[in-house]
Amino acid sequence: MTSHHNQRHHDGGHSDANRVTENPHSHGHGHSSEDMLSVEEALERVMASFHTLEPEEKPLLECMGQVLAEDISSPIALPPLNNSGMDGYALLHSDISGASKANPKNLSVIGVVAAGQMPDKTVTTGTAMRIMTGAPVPDGADTVVPFEETDEVERKREGKPLDQVAIFADMPPGCNVRPAGEDVSRGALVLQKGTVVRAAEVGVIASLGLDKVKVVRRPVVAILATGDELEITGTPLTGGKIYDSNSFSVAASVIASGGIPKILGIARDNLADLNARLEATAGADLVVTSAGVSKGDYDMVKDVLNQRGEMNFWSVRMRPAKPLAFGHLNGPAATHGKDIPLLGLPGNPVSAMVAFEMFARPAIRAMLGKAVRPRPVVEGVLTSAIRNEDGRRVYARVEVELKDGTYQATPTGPQGSNILTSMSKANGLAICPEDLPGKNAGDRVQIIMLDWNEEVQV
Ligand code: AMP
Ligand code: MG
């Protein structure tokens, strides 16, 4: 992992700029800096293919993180009835005006009402009912006086019957009575279509008595690794091979983005195998491939993808993750089969993850019906330099810490796009704009916060 020739010339290698200008095999597009798409242009082209998916109805708890596909109006009032906010006595406030410890008001207690019961009596002047928190307030009563403001404790201690009570405090009408409909009135619009279901929304929906809800379904993302060098995890590594990590980092990123991953395995670098593997993409909402999109070796992937759909191969003015394929596969032979968008990530593990972050995550959010906004970006200070050698936008893996009110960003070691542990150590991507030669220690930088989601406002 030390020498430059270990790294692909197209992606993350420090010799990149030289190799590009010297390379006689240039494909005539996408490889001079003029032909590179900006990240924004590439994202715009990708996003044009993604729209909110159709709704599904599911048990409430399974809807976490999904977007409501319907307005939720309340079939009931919440709370359904006037109820007590305290353990105490339900009474008429007019019976206790001027009450104090020195001037107690005595009432006769006509019954008890517990939470979950309906009161069996009406409170009239001179009477009260013992009442528990959450219990419906009996007709006639308009106020609840808590036990602490009565002789209840004293009576109990002295073994006196609870058929009388002395009230020690004057309380305004309505005190400690929680009115019916205080939270939600019957028929009210409680949650709007488009709301993301979080724990609080699950609680609110359950409080209305609903056990199922219509949400935008999650997209199924088919994941296909390509490469003769790839070995399946859990098997011994044989000579010249490496483990396929991209299928897993991509699948994990799909889950983190709200999609359902469908790992298709490894396609070998030949037409027959790639074609066979692509059959299993039927029914997916998005296909994400990795590798085989770099200059020199993408022709096979290019041919297959062009045969089966329409594919564009782009260079994006970013480091890592310059080479990117995007297009669609034609649906299965049946004429009604729908086209499936395909995003071809670069093979280098960091490039694959960063390209996923920039292009696949927004696509998945769009299909989920979520607002497509960038991850939160904070301004921080670099603790060591980032170099920009060839006029691309650099996304440097950094560990961000808040120190004395300032976000400090420390690059997580060598920035080669093959060094996946540097991604694991990072919680942010510090940006060096394409038109700067680099950023020095002490410079201010914009940092994409990878562990924060798009809903966080900064
Ligand atoms: P390629 O784009 O096929 O030239 O691959 C670029 C680099 O990424 C090579 O070093 C590959 O070995 C590596 N690579 C490709 N696919 C994977 C994968 N699924 N997991 C880990 N590394 C990969
Ligand atoms: Mg390859």
Side-chain angles (χ1 to χ4, degrees):
M1 298 225 232
T2 50
S3 65
H4 289 172
H5 63 254
N6 256 349
Q7 302 188 344
R8 302 298 310 197
H9 58 266
H10 58 275
D11 187 17
H14 290 274
S15 55
D16 201 8
N18 299 334
R19 294 290 291 271
V20 167
T21 47
E22 285 162 18
N23 196 326
H25 305 299
S26 172
H27 284 240
H29 70 277
H31 293 285
S32 74
S33 77
E34 289 72 34
D35 287 349
M36 280 193 277
L37 296 181
S38 68
V39 174
E40 287 74 18
E41 284 169 304
L43 183 61
E44 199 177 305
R45 293 193 193 185
V46 168
M47 293 306 283
S49 293
F50 295 96
H51 307 283
T52 304
L53 298 174
E54 58 290 356
E56 60 180 353
E57 193 172 40
K58 291 203 297 192
L60 174 58
L61 202 49
E62 291 170 25
C63 299
M64 274 289 284
Q66 286 175 264
V67 167
L68 290 179
E70 58 179 349
D71 285 341
I72 306 245
S73 298
S74 183
I76 55 170
L78 264 191
L81 300 168
N82 291 344
N83 68 94
S84 179
M86 294 286 247
D87 293 336
Y89 286 87
L91 43 73
L92 281 80
H93 90 277
S94 53
D95 279 349
I96 60 164
S97 84
S100 67
K101 187 97 201 201
N103 180 28
K105 302 284 179 181
N106 294 304
L107 300 171
S108 53
V109 179
I110 57 170
V112 184
V113 51
Q117 291 182 342
M118 284 303 285
D120 56 359
K121 299 212 172 64
T122 296
V123 173
T124 53
T125 188
T127 71
M129 276 183 95
R130 285 184 86 230
I131 190 165
M132 306 305 143
T133 304
V137 174
D139 286 346
D142 57 17
T143 302
V144 172
V145 176
F147 290 152
E148 301 86 274
E149 306 288 352
T150 72
D151 67 349
E152 156 107 7
V153 178
E154 197 182 308
R155 278 179 173 274
K156 277 189 170 162
R157 197 185 327 113
E158 291 169 6
K160 285 188 187 159
L162 295 176
D163 59 346
Q164 293 288 315
V165 67
I167 307 291
F168 296 148
D170 188 353
M171 291 199 160
C175 199
N176 299 315
V177 175
R178 305 188 292 208
E182 180 184 32
D183 188 358
V184 176
S185 57
R186 188 176 164 167
L189 173 61
V190 182
L191 294 170
Q192 268 184 315
K193 182 176 168 175
T195 303
V196 178
V197 178
R198 304 167 306 159
E201 284 71 28
V202 168
V204 166
I205 294 167
S207 75
L208 307 178
L210 305 176
D211 61 349
K212 287 202 187 84
V213 58
K214 283 198 185 101
V215 287
V216 176
R217 72 172 176 85
R218 295 184 183 282
V220 174
V221 181
I223 298 162
L224 184 61
T226 70
D228 284 344
E229 75 280 33
L230 301 178
E231 193 82 79
I232 298 168
T233 54
T235 62
L237 199 60
T238 52
K241 307 273 175 145
I242 58 166
Y243 288 118
D244 164 24
S245 60
N246 287 349
S247 290
F248 292 91
S249 60
V250 169
S253 302
V254 166
I255 294 169
S257 303
I260 301 169
K262 185 179 173 194
I263 293 180
L264 303 185
I266 300 164
R268 298 306 173 192
D269 289 325
N270 64 74
L271 291 174
D273 199 38
L274 187 54
N275 261 313
R277 296 278 172 182
L278 285 172
E279 294 301 319
T281 60
D285 300 294
L286 167 64
V287 179
V288 176
T289 63
S290 74
V293 291
S294 49
K295 184 164 51 170
D297 67 358
Y298 72 59
D299 282 349
M300 189 240 348
V301 176
K302 185 182 174 187
D303 289 346
V304 172
L305 298 182
N306 276 334
Q307 269 168 29
R308 303 181 67 110
E310 268 171 49
M311 208 52 52
N312 298 303
F313 290 80
W314 301 330
S315 283
V316 183
R317 192 189 299 272
M318 64 190 286
R319 177 196 290 271
K322 184 168 91 166
L324 192 73
F326 183 70
H328 66 265
L329 297 174
N330 291 332
T335 46
H336 57 271
K338 67 175 179 153
D339 294 346
I340 309 173
L342 183 146
L343 186 65
L345 306 176
N348 271 308
V350 174
S351 309
M353 288 198 76
V354 172
F356 186 99
E357 170 66 29
M358 294 300 159
F359 303 108
R361 184 176 168 92
I364 291 171
R365 285 183 62 88
M367 288 190 278
L368 283 166
K370 295 193 175 180
V372 178
R373 18 174 126 93
R375 289 241 204 213
V377 171
V378 300
E379 191 179 75
V381 173
L382 272 180
T383 63
S384 63
I386 303 172
R387 296 269 64 90
N388 187 4
E389 284 149 24
D390 57 357
R392 290 191 254 160
R393 188 177 306 170
V394 176
Y395 296 97
R397 286 141 261 159
V398 292
E399 190 190 347
V400 184
E401 287 170 298
L402 189 58
K403 280 195 183 147
D404 303 326
T406 301
Y407 289 109
Q408 294 201 348
T410 304
T412 58
Q415 295 287 315
S417 55
N418 55 324
I419 301 179
L420 192 51
T421 53
S422 68
M423 195 73 191
S424 162
K425 290 173 189 144
N427 58 354
L429 295 174
I431 301 170
C432 176
E434 38 277 65
D435 55 0
L436 290 183
K439 288 263 187 185
N440 295 316
D443 283 356
R444 300 208 148 263
V445 276
Q446 299 293 109
I447 310 160
I448 299 170
M449 299 302 287
L450 292 173
D451 294 337
W452 296 1
N453 69 30
E454 292 78 349
E455 274 71 50
V456 175
Q457 305 286 317
V458 284

